[in-house]
Amino acid sequence: KISGRITYKETEPGKTMRRIDAELLINMPIVGAIAEKKIAEVQLANLDLDVKAMREEIKGMLAATK
């Protein structure tokens, strides 16, 4: 079972905060908790990469308009 919600809030002009609330439940004895932890770790790392990629793309777009 997986569920969640992503919300965005402008914290100041030009700055946005992304909040992720999620629940992951793998109903398997012993390995379920291990899998849940690993999936959460990988997902968080992917989200960090996503932010870096978005920043680079925006930087490139802004440079192209100059």
Side-chain angles (χ1 to χ4, degrees):
K1 173 185 168 187
I2 186 167
S3 62
R5 178 175 62 170
I6 300 174
T7 56
Y8 295 89
K9 178 181 179 182
E10 185 176 31
T11 56
E12 59 184 80
K15 301 279 184 175
T16 302
M17 178 179 70
R18 175 174 57 177
R19 179 185 171 114
I20 301 170
D21 295 300
E23 179 181 20
L24 172 64
L25 177 61
I26 299 174
N27 193 14
M28 292 177 66
I30 303 171
V31 297
I34 296 167
E36 291 167 359
K37 183 177 179 183
K38 188 61 179 175
I39 291 168
E41 289 171 0
V42 169
Q43 185 59 34
L44 287 172
N46 286 340
L47 290 170
D48 286 342
L49 291 173
D50 184 44
V51 169
K52 291 175 186 174
M54 283 190 289
R55 286 183 179 151
E56 289 299 315
E57 185 171 338
I58 290 169
K59 186 192 296 185
M61 291 169 63
L62 293 173
T65 62
K66 292 183 179 181

